[in-house]
Amino acid sequence: MSVTVTDDAGKRTVVTADYVIGCDGPRSIVRDELGARYVGGQALRPNFGMVFTCPGLSERVRHGPAVQYWVVHPDAPALLGPLDREDTWWAIAFGVDRAEGERDALRFLDTVAGGPVRATVLSTDPWTARMQIVDRMRHGRVFLAGDAAHLNPPFGGHGLNTGIGDAVDLGWKIAAVLQGWGGPALLDSYEAERRPRPRTRHPRGDRQHAGPVDRVAGRQPGRAGRGRRIGPAGSRPAHPADQKAEFHSPDLVLGQHIAASPVLPTETQPPSRAPGTEARVGSRLPRAFPSGRPLPLRRPREPVDPPRRRRHRGPRGSRPDLAVLRTRRSPSCI
């Protein structure tokens, strides 16, 4: 299979390979050539992203240094955080469209900061959260992965983690086929295993970041603008549980369960215990702690030899992406 690649200077190069993987983002040329298309929906309201400089803004924060700050304000619900230690920041204004954002960006930043600030907008990025996945991820020897295959709202690292999951799943399977120990059904399993994953994230994505800000700011989300006021600002305080799905998503990152795949045996009995607490076909081995709780994260009292990786020789249905690690000498603590 040959692919013609054109660089930024206009130079064309013909690359010959056994397989092509389209990892070329939401505007994927590979996806268009396959005739695949996104299916799903998008959020009902716009958002306006900004990168800006603002000397002294960090001194106005009363909550201390953080990666990101949720701004709960009836006129400026937002999310922002530092990009460096030189007064460069990013911000997302919820419910603000392109026209309003470009017109009122500085006023919006004054409101977020709690008073006039010397902000300079460096770039803007109007966007709407999309929760979509392609109708197919493969055609013959051509595959789609990452944002070319699915789009998530840019919160919680869900898009990044899902894309990395695609690469891990497809990478070892293509390697297995090229090395001769993987059969044709192995590549068929890629779409069966990966396509359902992003879909499970989509219904919660928009509620996850819009809901808490709306409730605290006293707004009911609408189809346009920032929404309709439903009560006095601050009448319903925020609760950390509102954002739990963003920062704690083990079902996406570590606890995936593959319900059906052409390379896995059929599960004959339903699970008898809570997810992640027993071995199941299509899941990673569960975590188990001898004391019933995680070991304390402390420095070992003596140097520990680096772990040696060995091939997992498990029962039928085990896979090379289920690695087993062992150490030559157990540390006194971890």
Side-chain angles (χ1 to χ4, degrees):
M1 178 181 300
S2 297
V3 176
T4 301
V5 180
T6 305
D7 62 18
D8 293 337
K11 180 181 177 180
R12 293 190 175 187
T13 304
V14 177
V15 179
T16 301
D18 293 315
Y19 297 95
V20 172
I21 305 174
C23 306
D24 47 345
R27 298 180 179 87
S28 172
I29 296 174
V30 177
R31 185 184 63 245
D32 292 342
E33 291 297 318
L34 288 184
R37 61 184 182 88
Y38 285 132
V39 294
Q42 64 182 36
L44 298 178
R45 61 184 196 166
N47 302 291
F48 191 77
M50 291 177 278
V51 173
F52 63 98
T53 58
C54 188
L57 180 59
S58 59
E59 299 172 4
R60 290 175 170 263
V61 180
R62 294 179 294 176
H63 306 290
V67 174
Q68 64 183 36
Y69 301 90
W70 286 86
V71 179
V72 179
H73 190 286
D75 296 322
L79 181 65
L80 77 157
L83 283 174
D84 57 28
R85 297 185 179 182
E86 304 297 331
D87 297 318
T88 306
W89 294 71
W90 59 269
I92 298 174
F94 296 124
V96 175
D97 59 23
R98 179 190 293 269
E100 182 182 5
E102 293 177 349
R103 181 182 67 245
D104 298 330
L106 296 179
R107 181 185 62 80
F108 183 89
L109 293 175
D110 287 345
T111 304
V112 167
V117 292
R118 294 181 293 115
T120 301
V121 177
L122 303 179
S123 64
T124 62
D125 180 26
W127 59 275
T128 300
R130 297 168 63 186
M131 298 156 282
Q132 299 174 329
I133 187 169
V134 289
D135 52 0
R136 56 194 175 111
M137 297 178 69
R138 177 193 182 188
H139 180 74
R141 292 174 175 262
V142 182
F143 299 84
L144 296 174
D147 286 353
H150 42 73
L151 295 176
N152 292 273
F155 289 85
H158 296 162
L160 174 62
N161 280 284
T162 304
I164 292 174
D166 293 344
V168 170
D169 190 280
L170 184 57
W172 77 263
K173 291 174 180 177
I174 288 182
V177 173
L178 293 177
Q179 294 169 13
W181 56 272
L186 189 58
L187 293 181
D188 294 338
S189 70
Y190 171 66
E191 183 167 8
E193 294 178 6
R194 294 306 302 168
R195 193 170 178 274
R197 293 306 312 163
R199 185 186 301 163
T200 64
R201 309 299 312 173
H202 291 166
R204 300 192 311 193
D206 188 44
R207 296 199 306 269
Q208 188 172 295
H209 67 269
V213 171
D214 281 321
R215 288 197 296 275
V216 180
R219 294 187 179 278
Q220 178 66 39
R223 287 187 172 273
R226 296 196 185 97
R228 178 173 56 86
R229 287 295 299 272
I230 60 176
S235 61
R236 299 187 64 180
H239 193 281
D242 288 327
Q243 297 305 108
K244 184 175 181 180
E246 177 176 352
F247 300 106
H248 302 278
S249 52
D251 56 319
L252 174 70
V253 180
L254 291 176
Q256 301 97 328
H257 174 69
I258 300 171
S261 172
V263 294
L264 289 177
T266 302
E267 192 170 41
T268 58
Q269 294 182 346
S272 58
R273 291 186 289 176
T277 60
E278 65 177 341
R280 296 185 61 188
V281 173
S283 297
R284 288 181 177 270
L285 290 175
R287 301 172 67 190
F289 303 108
S291 63
R293 59 184 179 180
L295 296 174
L297 296 177
R298 299 196 300 270
R299 291 182 179 273
R301 297 190 183 94
E302 60 182 13
V304 179
D305 293 332
R308 293 185 303 175
R309 188 179 295 270
R310 67 178 183 183
R311 181 169 296 178
H312 174 63
R313 301 183 184 278
R316 180 174 178 266
S318 61
R319 297 156 50 135
D321 53 351
L322 184 64
V324 175
L325 296 177
R326 65 176 180 178
T327 58
R328 301 192 189 105
R329 183 169 69 250
S330 298
S332 56
C333 65
I334 297 178

